Amino acid sequence: MKYFLIFVSFVLFLHASTDNTTCKRCHPKIFNEYQNSMHKKASIYNDPVHKAVWDKHPLKQKGNYKCAKCHTPADKQLIQNGGLPTPNPQQLRHPVACQTCHTIENIEKHAKSNKNIYSKKPKMFFSADPARRGEKVLFHETKSFFGLFRKTEGSPYHDIDYGNALFYNGNVCMGCHAHKENAKGFAVCDFKVKQDDKSKHNCISCHMQKVKGSYVTLKDTHVHAYHGSNIVTASPAMLEKYVKFSVIQEQEGFSVVVENEANHPLFPHPLRLGVLKVSLQHNGTLTPLKMHYFVRIIGKNGKPSSPWLADSVIKDTTIQAHEKRKILFKHPLEKGDHLIVTLGYHIVNPKMAKKLGITEEHYIRFIPFKKERFAF
Ligand code: HEC
Ligand code: HEC
Ligand code: HEC
Ligand code: HEC
Ligand code: HEC
């Protein structure tokens, strides 16, 4: 009876349309984290910021949602037929699905934007495990004594291929996260990744750190790769350690040094506004000092413009990959003084939020990313 039930559920699994809910059965922890990730929120239905920009985009009038290859690749109908998105389960529940990433076989490099090449084998998922690198685990049962005893190996739902280098070096992310040009051939978004000798880490080791809890219900692996990619809700401790502060006493005052260990600029998206806030505590009074901003503003004829009209970078003060940015404050420090250093960001630069009609507090407010106190 037990085997019969297992058999029946196995057959049901094979026939059910493969969506994230299927994965939830056996990978509930990863599935739950994914619910808060920007990959779950990447569609116009789940991300009001993406929707606000899309609503103003000239392609909307033309009925051509060209954003699909990165924002909603799981909606295969839309990718194939073109047109505008409709609120179907792919758009709502898993626009960048489990299967999207786990079937990326290769990345083709293009000037306009890179392209993911997906494997054609429907239930062969790529993954990384240094101990099993290069192995292919095919699901099979070994029977003995006329089928009385069974031993299963691998996943009872899918095969696994541990041989894809993209899952070890982080390049699996680069089909969507590298750059994007507009119709004028200008790179609206440019992640400027520096993967060099100074890189101890890659996209996966920083953003998908091993956290507590098994990755599958059928065995206890103790840890799993974090799947909640989202700078706001990802536990700050997970990412803030890659940004380091220090204070140097100078003749004219002091400098705050912000060191970026990431292999991409900090707050690189053209909608973001990064801010450094420093307060000086002297004799019990707290004085906020001049704020410093980190932005990449794109536009035309020296003026900011919408991304589809932009043909140049007007200003780029973002802290680059592996950069140590030194910011001078002309305030003398005395013994007993304290400095409170806070680096944070606005998801949408308040000036642009106005133009886009975004009013929701969450997207406009200042969100602290890292805070540290220094005593002298
Ligand atoms: C019926 C249970 C079941 C379902 C449903 C299932 N998996 Fe799995 N999966 C497993 C098991 C068991 C393993 C571990 C296999 C092993 O360690 O040999 C696994 C392993 C994996 C791995 C590789 C883990 C590693 O070692 O790095 C990935 C990736 C994966 N599953 C993705 C998915 C995705 C995506 C879905 C949904 C489309 C899914 N799984 C649905 C049971 C399942
Ligand atoms: C080549 C892949 C790619 C294409 C094509 C693409 N995007 Fe994106 N988009 C991304 C990635 C990756 C991010 C996340 C970047 C980040 O957070 O720094 C993003 C983020 C955004 C954001 C910021 C969302 C937020 O919550 O802050 C907006 C807005 C956006 N895209 C609009 C669009 C629009 C509109 C289109 C189509 C006209 C489009 N994108 C096409 C890859 C793409
Ligand atoms: C943005 C791309 C992306 C998405 C979306 C994604 N994964 Fe993964 N997943 C990865 C990468 C990369 C790894 C390898 C991480 C490592 O172990 O180094 C991984 C690892 C795994 C593993 C095994 C390794 C471990 O230690 O946890 C499982 C199981 C898994 N994913 C299942 C899922 C399921 C289920 C979903 C959907 C709810 C999903 N993934 C969505 C990229 C993704
Ligand atoms: C199929 C395309 C695709 C792939 C592959 C992909 N991403 Fe994304 N990712 C996106 C899009 C699109 C967004 C932005 C969604 C939005 O804001 O609307 C995003 C958002 C993110 C964010 C959140 C940014 C924020 O503002 O909070 C992080 C972090 C991230 N991705 C990391 C990764 C990592 C690490 C990988 C590789 C393991 C990866 N992504 C692979 C498309 C992709
Ligand atoms: C050394 C650790 C580290 C590495 C390596 C790294 N990141 Fe990040 N990433 C961070 C930190 C810290 C932040 C938070 C600050 C920020 O938002 O820029 C971040 C932010 C992001 C964001 C949100 C940016 C925004 O504000 O819109 C995306 C998207 C992202 N990373 C993707 C990637 C991808 C893709 C790779 C691989 C090319 C990668 N990261 C490599 C540490 C890292």
Side-chain angles (χ1 to χ4, degrees):
M1 185 61 190
K2 196 172 145 209
Y3 287 135
F4 178 70
L5 282 180
I6 290 176
F7 177 73
V8 168
S9 56
F10 182 50
V11 170
L12 283 178
F13 266 136
L14 289 178
H15 285 269
S17 78
T18 314
D19 66 12
N20 279 15
T21 340
T22 322
C23 321
K24 181 186 179 183
R25 289 283 296 267
C26 305
H27 302 293
K29 290 216 164 69
I30 289 180
F31 177 86
N32 287 339
E33 279 167 2
Y34 174 84
Q35 300 313 307
N36 277 322
S37 74
M38 287 312 293
H39 296 130
K40 153 80 186 260
K41 297 185 180 161
S43 68
I44 52 167
Y45 302 103
N46 301 349
D47 181 4
V49 177
H50 178 49
K51 182 176 184 301
V53 175
W54 172 243
D55 282 345
K56 293 223 168 354
H57 203 290
L59 282 174
K60 190 180 178 188
Q61 299 307 320
K62 295 189 182 151
N64 182 6
Y65 182 66
K66 270 209 178 162
C67 326
K69 66 174 238 182
C70 300
H71 282 263
T72 65
D75 192 345
K76 296 208 172 115
Q77 294 260 313
L78 181 63
I79 300 255
Q80 262 166 25
N81 309 333
L84 292 173
T86 50
N88 59 30
Q90 287 75 35
Q91 293 280 337
L92 297 174
R93 285 196 267 159
H94 44 81
V96 178
C98 311
Q99 294 91 323
T100 306
C101 287
H102 285 284
T103 57
I104 296 176
E105 187 161 37
N106 213 340
I107 310 283
E108 258 178 35
K109 290 193 176 161
H110 296 279
K112 252 200 143 33
S113 66
N114 293 346
K115 186 175 173 195
N116 293 324
I117 306 298
Y118 298 99
S119 137
K120 301 251 163 6
K121 297 176 206 142
K123 283 197 177 122
M124 168 72 88
F125 297 142
F126 298 110
S127 193
D129 182 348
R132 292 157 106 177
R133 188 161 183 168
E135 272 179 46
K136 272 198 178 120
V137 179
L138 304 180
F139 167 67
H140 63 262
E141 287 182 321
T142 37
K143 292 180 190 164
S144 54
F145 285 108
F146 306 99
L148 274 176
F149 304 109
R150 284 165 196 233
K151 201 173 148 251
T152 59
E153 210 184 327
S155 153
Y157 176 70
H158 54 75
D159 303 329
I160 308 166
D161 184 342
Y162 291 103
N164 188 341
L166 302 180
F167 283 74
Y168 294 87
N169 59 24
N171 286 343
V172 64
C173 319
M174 299 315 282
C176 303
H177 278 275
H179 56 271
K180 181 188 170 294
E181 284 185 354
N182 61 13
K184 297 179 160 25
F186 167 70
V188 172
C189 299
D190 188 353
F191 220 49
K192 289 195 258 173
V193 174
K194 259 194 211 141
Q195 194 69 36
D196 56 24
D197 300 345
K198 286 194 213 152
S199 312
K200 285 178 284 207
H201 294 283
N202 64 38
C203 319
I204 298 172
S205 68
C206 286
H207 288 281
M208 303 189 72
Q209 293 169 36
K210 299 287 178 193
V211 292
K212 273 196 196 138
S214 182
Y215 69 64
V216 65
T217 49
L218 305 176
K219 63 179 186 185
D220 188 3
T221 66
H222 308 293
V223 291
H224 66 279
Y226 180 71
H227 274 67
S229 290
N230 179 330
I231 44 166
V232 184
T233 57
S235 152
M238 218 179 247
L239 290 177
E240 70 164 28
K241 61 186 176 213
Y242 302 118
V243 177
K244 298 209 160 68
F245 295 157
S246 52
V247 176
I248 307 171
Q249 300 225 33
E250 314 262 11
Q251 243 168 10
E252 310 112 287
F254 64 92
S255 290
V256 172
V257 181
V258 180
E259 182 178 3
N260 175 16
E261 288 186 355
N263 58 8
H264 56 72
L266 289 181
F267 316 121
H269 196 276
L271 283 178
R272 310 272 183 269
L273 175 65
V275 190
L276 181 76
K277 295 184 176 181
V278 177
S279 297
L280 173 64
Q281 195 178 7
H282 178 73
N283 281 345
T285 40
L286 196 64
T287 316
L289 307 180
K290 188 172 178 279
M291 293 205 258
H292 283 262
Y293 297 99
F294 310 104
V295 276
R296 179 174 181 272
I297 297 174
I298 55 174
K300 208 184 148 153
N301 302 330
K303 282 201 195 109
S305 76
S306 52
W308 47 93
L309 295 175
D311 61 10
S312 50
V313 176
I314 306 293
K315 181 174 165 187
D316 188 353
T317 54
T318 52
I319 303 177
Q320 298 301 300
H322 307 312
E323 186 188 338
K324 275 190 195 177
R325 179 72 61 90
K326 202 167 146 183
I327 297 139
L328 178 69
F329 291 84
K330 290 185 176 169
H331 289 267
L333 284 177
E334 286 172 31
K335 210 173 160 18
D337 284 354
H338 286 248
L339 283 179
I340 296 123
V341 177
T342 312
L343 179 70
Y345 59 98
H346 300 259
I347 297 178
V348 181
N349 187 332
K351 273 189 203 154
M352 290 203 251
K354 241 189 199 149
K355 286 189 193 150
L356 289 166
I358 296 171
T359 51
E360 211 182 310
E361 187 56 20
H362 173 73
Y363 300 107
I364 326 172
R365 79 191 157 106
F366 173 75
I367 302 174
F369 173 71
K370 185 185 176 111
K371 189 173 177 174
E372 200 174 330
R373 177 184 273 269
F374 294 86
F376 299 90

